[in-house]
């Protein structure tokens, strides 16, 4: 497929231009012209095109500052195609740190308070990025080790083979607790065992690796789609907006489109924009039913017992019992229960009447309907269903 780029409105920074890859849904080009586009320009300047708090998740694969000291050869003297591009070179650690601080601050502005940021790197840069994150008061949630099944050998034999990269997952602040983490989906996908922080994936190779017209790598550090798919499935919901300020070959955009998420890419090299645009245009999004995310009780909206009383689903004076009718309590107007001279919440009073330290009042207390005892949790489920219809 040939590269077809549709120019949209220029960003506020005149040095950058926004491009929409062909084949993307038209919905992204309406009220938010920057949605599902690649913005051409320097990442810090180009981020000015985005409104405050407009992005749900950021995936950043910044320059690693590899500090290569010359050409690298294999034992047979053939040249290794290493990352020696100008964009990966910095005059000093101080220059790299200043660059890191600048793009992180620009990302913080566009990230929603409930959003999260992922950044990947190697030992060359990830510790410096992590220190800057903490200096800027980001809250680190996890560090993830991406262990490669097929890493590049260490040709000189003077060090251990570099077989992993590190991802840092962070929230804008320790105060923001409402970020997305699809815990139940990750656990179910991992054979009902908690997903660990060490992930095993091969590096990008074979048919997935983009090539230029000469058959060479279109981008030297293209990430595997499997890695981005896990990140997006873990920390986003369908319809969320994912920003990649170092878009490169467009892996983030391709995976986001396939998984029903929106993307915004920033890239300064036109060759990478062309390759990414062709790649994304060829992606077919998955169906709505396929994209549903498994959630558990913790992800459901909180409903307090007094909501049932205030909405007249349970009237004050109603007598609640346990399933075997051994204990009973009266519902009071303030949403508490009373029994035998004691009063408290549905949980506390449920524990007291049983002589226990704790109790789940939602499943312990029952109300009677047409001669049948039903747990009050069935009423809470009705309230939650109503909330979902409104959302």
């Amino acid at each position: 497929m040939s590269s077809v780029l549709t120019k949209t409105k220029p960003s506020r920074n005149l040095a950058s231009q926004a491009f929409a890859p062909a084949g993307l849904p038209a919905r992204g080009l309406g009220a938010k012209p920057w949605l599902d586009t690649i913005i051409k320009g320097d990442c810090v300047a180009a981020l000015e095109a985005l409104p405050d708090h407009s992005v749900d998740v950021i995936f950043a694969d910044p320059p690693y500052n590899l500090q290569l000291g010359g050409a690298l050869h294999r034992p047979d003297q053939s040249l290794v195609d290493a990352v020696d591009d100008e964009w990966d070179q910095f005059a000093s650690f101080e220059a790299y740190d200043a660059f890191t601080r600048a793009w992180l601050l620009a990302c913080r502005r566009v990230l929603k308070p409930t959003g999260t940021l992922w950044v990947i790197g190697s030992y060359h840069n990830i510790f410096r990025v992590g220190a800057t994150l903490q200096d800027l008061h980001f809250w680190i949630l996890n560090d993830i080790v991406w262990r490669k099944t097929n890493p590049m050998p260490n040709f000189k034999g003077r060090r251990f083979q570099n077989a992993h990269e590190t991802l840092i997952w962070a929230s804008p602040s320790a105060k923001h607790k409402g970020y997305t983490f699809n815990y139940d989906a990750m656990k179910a996908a991992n054979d009902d065992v908690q997903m660990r922080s060490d992930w095993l994936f091969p590096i990008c190779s074979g048919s997935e690796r983009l090539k230029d017209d000469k058959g060479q790598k279109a981008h030297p550090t293209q990430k595997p789609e499997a890695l981005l798919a896990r990140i997006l499935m873990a920390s986003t919901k369908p319809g969320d907006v994912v920003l990649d300020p170092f878009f490169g070959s467009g892996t983030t955009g391709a995976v986001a489109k396939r998984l029903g998420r929106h993307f915004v890419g920033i890239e300064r090299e036109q060759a990478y924009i062309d390759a990414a645009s062709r790649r994304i245009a060829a992606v077919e999004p998955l169906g709505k039913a396929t994209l549903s995310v498994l959630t558990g009780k913790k992800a459901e909206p909180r409903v307090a017992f007094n909501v049932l009383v205030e909405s007249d689903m349970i009237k004050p004076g109603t007598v609640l019992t346990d399933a075997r009718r051994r204990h009973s309590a009266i519902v009071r107007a303030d949403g508490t229960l009373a029994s035998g001279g004691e009063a408290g919440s549905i949980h506390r009073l449920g524990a007291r009447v049983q002589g226990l330290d704790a109790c789940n009042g939602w499943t312990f207390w029952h109300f009677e309907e047409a001669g049948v005892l039903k747990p009050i949790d069935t009423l809470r489920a009705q309230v939650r269903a109503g909330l979902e219809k409104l959302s």
Side-chain angles (χ1 to χ4, degrees), residues 129-151:
V129 173
T132 303
L133 278 168
Q134 292 184 317
D135 288 345
L136 295 176
H137 303 293
F138 281 82
W139 186 251
I140 294 179
L141 302 170
N142 276 116
D143 66 324
I144 307 290
V145 174
W146 165 31
R147 188 159 61 91
K148 304 173 183 179
T149 60
N150 54 342

Side-chain angles (χ1 to χ4, degrees), residues 204-276:
C204 188
S205 61
S207 60
E208 186 181 337
R209 170 67 77 171
L210 297 190
K211 301 291 181 64
D212 60 21
D213 295 338
K214 299 179 181 179
Q216 302 298 314
K217 297 176 184 177
H219 193 284
T221 63
Q222 181 181 340
K223 295 299 182 288
E225 291 193 5
L227 179 67
L228 268 296
R230 180 168 294 181
I231 288 171
L232 297 192
M233 291 303 295
S235 58
T236 67
K237 301 183 291 292
D240 278 356
V241 178
V242 183
L243 166 70
D244 187 335
F246 307 98
F247 203 59
S249 60
T251 302
T252 301
V255 175
K257 182 181 177 184
R258 178 164 58 85
L259 295 180
R261 279 73 168 163
H262 293 287
F263 75 88
V264 185
I266 296 175
E267 178 54 55
R268 71 183 194 181
E269 304 292 336
Q270 187 62 49
Y272 296 159
I273 292 175
D274 293 342

Side-chain angles (χ1 to χ4, degrees), residues 5 8 53 108 126 129 200 213 253 295 382 385:
L5 300 175
T8 65
H53 310 312
R108 181 198 285 281
I126 196 63
V129 173
L200 185 65
D213 295 338
T295 58
Q382 293 177 28

Side-chain angles (χ1 to χ4, degrees), residues 305 308 314 346 361-362 365 367 374-380:
F305 180 69
L308 306 186
I314 291 184
I346 58 173
W362 290 108
W365 294 111
F367 66 100
K374 297 181 179 180
I376 58 175
D377 201 27
T378 60
L379 299 177
R380 181 172 64 162

Side-chain angles (χ1 to χ4, degrees), residues 68-128:
L68 295 179
L72 181 63
H73 293 84
R74 298 181 179 87
D76 63 3
Q77 296 308 304
S78 60
L79 186 65
V80 177
D81 185 15
V83 181
D84 55 3
D85 303 78
E86 180 270 334
W87 50 257
D88 192 61
Q89 298 172 9
F90 293 82
S92 63
F93 284 133
E94 290 76 16
Y96 187 81
D97 293 345
F99 164 75
T100 299
R101 182 180 179 85
W103 72 258
L104 283 174
L105 284 171
C107 283
R108 181 198 285 281
R109 181 185 65 79
V110 303
L111 188 63
K112 294 178 181 178
T114 55
T116 54
L117 176 143
W118 294 80
V119 59
I120 188 170
S122 69
Y123 70 87
H124 302 88
N125 72 321
I126 196 63
F127 303 109
R128 308 192 77 87

Side-chain angles (χ1 to χ4, degrees), residues 156-230:
K156 292 184 177 180
R158 301 290 294 172
R159 304 180 183 181
F160 294 108
Q161 182 184 27
N162 297 318
H164 78 277
E165 292 185 34
T166 300
L167 296 109
I168 296 175
W169 184 35
S171 169
S173 168
K175 297 183 294 184
H176 300 303
K177 307 295 185 183
Y179 59 86
T180 296
F181 177 46
N182 299 317
Y183 168 82
D184 296 280
M186 291 294 98
K187 183 176 179 180
N190 197 42
D191 294 335
D192 291 322
V193 177
Q194 282 191 344
M195 183 73 75
R196 290 163 44 124
S197 61
D198 52 338
W199 298 353
L200 185 65
F201 292 112
I203 63 174
C204 188
S205 61
S207 60
E208 186 181 337
R209 170 67 77 171
L210 297 190
K211 301 291 181 64
D212 60 21
D213 295 338
K214 299 179 181 179
Q216 302 298 314
K217 297 176 184 177
H219 193 284
T221 63
Q222 181 181 340
K223 295 299 182 288
E225 291 193 5
L227 179 67
L228 268 296
R230 180 168 294 181

Side-chain angles (χ1 to χ4, degrees), residues 365-376:
W365 294 111
H366 289 61
F367 66 100
E368 188 171 333
E369 185 176 75
V372 178
L373 285 179
K374 297 181 179 180
I376 58 175

Side-chain angles (χ1 to χ4, degrees), residues 296-372:
K297 289 287 186 182
K298 290 182 178 179
E300 294 177 335
R302 184 180 181 277
V303 176
F305 180 69
N306 70 304
V307 172
L308 306 186
V309 178
E310 292 167 352
S311 60
D312 217 28
M313 299 180 77
I314 291 184
K315 297 181 181 296
T318 299
V319 176
L320 303 181
T321 70
D322 66 293
R324 297 183 182 181
R325 300 183 187 271
R326 295 173 299 177
H327 308 286
S328 62
I330 296 174
V331 178
R332 304 199 306 185
D334 64 355
T336 60
L337 303 184
S339 177
E342 293 194 72
S345 69
I346 58 173
H347 309 296
R348 182 171 296 181
L349 196 64
R352 284 181 179 175
V353 298
Q354 297 178 85
L356 301 176
D357 293 328
C359 169
N360 184 346
W362 290 108
T363 56
F364 177 74
W365 294 111
H366 289 61
F367 66 100
E368 188 171 333
E369 185 176 75
V372 178

